[in-house]
Amino acid sequence: MRHPDFLLGVATAAYQIEGAVAEDGRLPSIWDTFSATPGKVLHGDTGAVACDHYHRWEEDVDLLASLNVDAYRLSIAWPRVMDAAGRPNEKGLAFYRQLLQKLKDHGIRTSVTLYHWDLPQHLEDAGGWRNRATAQRFAEYADLVSRELAGLVDFWSTLNEPWCSAMLGYGTGHHAPGQADLLAANEAMHHLLLGHGLALAAMRRNDPGSQKGIVVNVGRGTTDGATPADVRAAQLFELQHNDWVLDPLLRGEYPAVLHDELWPAARPPVLEGDLAIIGAPLDFLGINYYFRTNVRADGQGGYVEVPLAGVERTQMGWEVYPDGLRDLLIGFQRRYANLPPIYITENGMASDDRVVDGAVIDRQRIAYLNRHLAAVDEALKAGVDVRGYYVWSLLDNFEWAYGYERRFGIVHVDYATQRRTPKRSAELIRDFLARRRAGG
């Protein structure tokens, strides 16, 4: 962790902070539609205003600079930069160009994700990620943006958490577009990964000086059961949560067990040449980690979640389990001979934070971050090539189906006034990075 090139940064995503959903030519996204649908998002919240970052971006970059962070991870809103015919929207592109330039002026490394879940609604109307053509549309979007913003981005990520886009968006209906069909989830996953591979090729042509990769969310599966079937259940959990994404990216194949045992009626629509495109070499792999899941055998060859009692949990109900991050990183190192350098692109927790006498003392978050950084350090000492860590998130924001109730930020946002108040965690990060820069 003391390596001088190890990046410490913070992260956000466009729909969660920008607001301004109908300004300067931005088109509707699936999350505009989903959050406006009664019953889909807690309290009926939407991203229409969010943190108003679209209008307050200069203030927010100054805030970032004041925290001394090495790097900032953000996403581009696809509906903001292209019209329905695929033509560039200059006002939207100008917003990101100015934002990235100001970050560069402050010496902050830029990490840009092209797809953080806000698919243009017109593409969903044509079938969304179930439609193979969406992968090509994504490649065209990546081609445009990487040409327009070449030289301003240090790290390009094609997708954020394709597991969530596919499974939560198309498999369970918990996220936009709200479909609940396991076959649809497998179709969506394949076309997301195909889009990733097609986009990589375009980005390498347009911006050769940058690093290119993808961001995946991973989950640690364990069991407190005592039977071989319970042990197998934990393996199956990780197979569908991790290997479903990482095997095609790093091995050029989908896990056979997944479709032979767990999902025999739901297979990806693979055409000749697809897996070679998906498995194109990566410059880095982004890993998002938050919690573990305890499972047992369900008696039908699968698994069922069985929450553990007496463990520490966050406001999301997620167990605090730093060892899971260490164990997964070491496991990936053993499983994948071609594992690229890793950045922890998201790690953090939600808590019910309140401003009291002008301050937010978020003790649980401070302990959470310290313990997860220690887990990363253990993975480094075990030989895993981890090169950076981004806290999720810079700002309290729109937490998808949970709306504004769950606060992940190291900076508190009063949504009525848009006042930003750095929490104690932010102050400690600021002070630590100041000492590191001073050589202390």
Side-chain angles (χ1 to χ4, degrees):
M1 209 71 70
R2 297 185 182 88
H3 193 283
D5 295 328
F6 190 93
L7 295 181
L8 282 169
V10 292
T12 64
Y15 190 73
Q16 294 180 268
I17 67 168
E18 284 181 2
V21 296
E23 292 188 37
D24 292 339
R26 182 190 178 278
L27 302 178
S29 78
I30 56 174
W31 271 96
D32 295 308
T33 303
F34 188 77
S35 60
T37 304
K40 295 298 186 182
V41 175
L42 195 63
H43 307 310
D45 292 339
T46 78
V49 176
C51 303
D52 197 31
H53 174 72
Y54 189 75
H55 301 115
R56 299 169 185 266
W57 65 271
E58 291 182 277
E59 168 194 343
D60 289 338
V61 174
D62 290 339
L63 173 61
L64 274 165
S66 76
L67 297 178
N68 300 315
V69 295
D70 300 320
Y72 176 51
R73 177 174 173 246
L74 65 140
S75 76
I76 304 288
W78 187 350
R80 199 179 290 286
V81 296
M82 294 181 84
D83 70 10
R87 295 176 297 234
N89 175 22
E90 182 50 43
K91 288 184 178 179
L93 289 164
F95 166 71
Y96 294 109
R97 195 177 293 116
Q98 292 169 339
L99 171 61
L100 291 165
Q101 185 60 61
K102 187 171 175 71
L103 289 163
K104 286 288 191 184
D105 292 344
H106 279 291
I108 298 171
R109 304 284 293 278
T110 53
S111 179
V112 172
T113 305
L114 285 175
Y115 185 69
H116 203 126
W117 305 355
D118 44 0
L119 184 70
Q121 182 61 47
H122 68 88
L123 291 178
E124 180 58 37
D125 294 341
W129 289 110
R130 298 191 69 172
N131 183 355
R132 186 181 177 90
T134 302
Q136 187 59 49
R137 300 292 81 74
F138 179 70
E140 292 164 3
Y141 157 59
D143 180 52
L144 169 69
V145 173
S146 59
R147 274 188 284 110
E148 292 286 344
L149 302 180
L152 293 172
V153 178
D154 294 299
F155 304 93
W156 287 104
S157 298
T158 52
L159 307 174
N160 177 75
E161 301 185 351
W163 186 93
C164 289
S165 296
M167 182 57 78
L168 300 184
Y170 292 87
T172 69
H174 184 62
H175 281 184
Q179 296 186 33
D181 179 336
L182 192 56
L183 177 59
N186 276 271
E187 291 170 342
M189 176 64 81
H190 184 65
H191 296 142
L192 281 155
L193 295 179
L194 180 62
H196 151 79
L198 294 170
L200 270 186
M203 294 157 70
R204 291 200 185 284
R205 289 194 304 270
N206 294 336
D207 195 11
S210 61
Q211 300 284 297
K212 289 91 177 170
I214 187 172
V215 171
V216 304
N217 59 300
V218 297
R220 181 73 171 118
T222 62
T223 185
D224 64 340
T227 70
D230 291 327
V231 174
R232 180 59 170 164
Q235 294 170 345
L236 287 174
F237 172 86
E238 291 197 2
L239 191 77
Q240 69 83 23
H241 208 92
N242 305 332
D243 304 358
W244 185 25
V245 181
L246 291 174
D247 276 16
L249 289 169
L250 299 176
R251 285 183 160 183
E253 61 186 14
Y254 287 100
V257 171
L258 195 65
H259 301 288
D260 292 342
E261 289 188 29
L262 203 58
W263 302 333
R267 296 179 180 273
V270 180
L271 299 185
E272 185 176 356
D274 284 2
L275 289 168
I277 294 169
I278 291 169
L282 301 167
D283 298 326
F284 70 90
L285 176 66
I287 293 288
N288 295 354
Y289 173 83
Y290 289 97
F291 59 96
R292 75 157 162 183
T293 302
N294 186 71
V295 300
R296 294 182 193 166
D298 65 2
Q300 300 175 351
Y303 59 85
V304 61
E305 182 177 352
V306 182
L308 295 170
V311 298
E312 180 188 357
R313 297 187 181 276
T314 71
Q315 188 191 21
M316 296 290 288
W318 297 344
E319 182 188 355
V320 178
Y321 190 68
D323 287 355
L325 177 56
R326 176 202 63 207
D327 295 346
L328 286 169
L329 291 173
I330 293 172
F332 296 153
Q333 173 96 336
R334 293 170 179 163
R335 182 174 176 82
Y336 301 108
N338 59 337
L339 187 71
I342 287 172
Y343 291 86
I344 308 304
T345 34
E346 288 182 27
N347 181 237
M349 60 155 286
S351 55
D352 185 17
D353 298 321
R354 313 288 177 92
V355 179
V356 179
D357 296 329
V360 182
I361 310 301
D362 52 340
R363 293 184 181 87
Q364 188 187 14
R365 179 174 291 104
I366 292 163
Y368 179 103
L369 296 176
N370 281 332
R371 291 166 62 194
H372 283 81
L373 281 164
V376 172
D377 198 41
E378 291 172 4
L380 277 164
K381 290 173 180 173
V384 184
D385 186 4
V386 186
R387 300 189 182 184
Y389 174 97
Y390 293 78
V391 177
W392 183 270
S393 173
L394 170 65
L395 302 170
D396 291 337
N397 55 53
F398 178 79
E399 181 48 37
W400 306 111
Y402 293 99
Y404 294 102
E405 183 180 90
R406 316 294 167 94
R407 293 181 176 270
F408 273 90
I410 59 170
V411 175
H412 182 277
V413 177
D414 182 325
Y415 297 113
T417 65
Q418 292 297 338
R419 179 178 177 83
R420 276 83 160 129
T421 303
K423 303 175 188 179
R424 182 62 179 147
S425 56
E427 296 170 346
L428 291 173
I429 290 168
R430 175 198 66 200
D431 295 346
F432 167 77
L433 290 172
R435 290 194 301 272
R436 191 180 73 166
R437 289 184 181 184

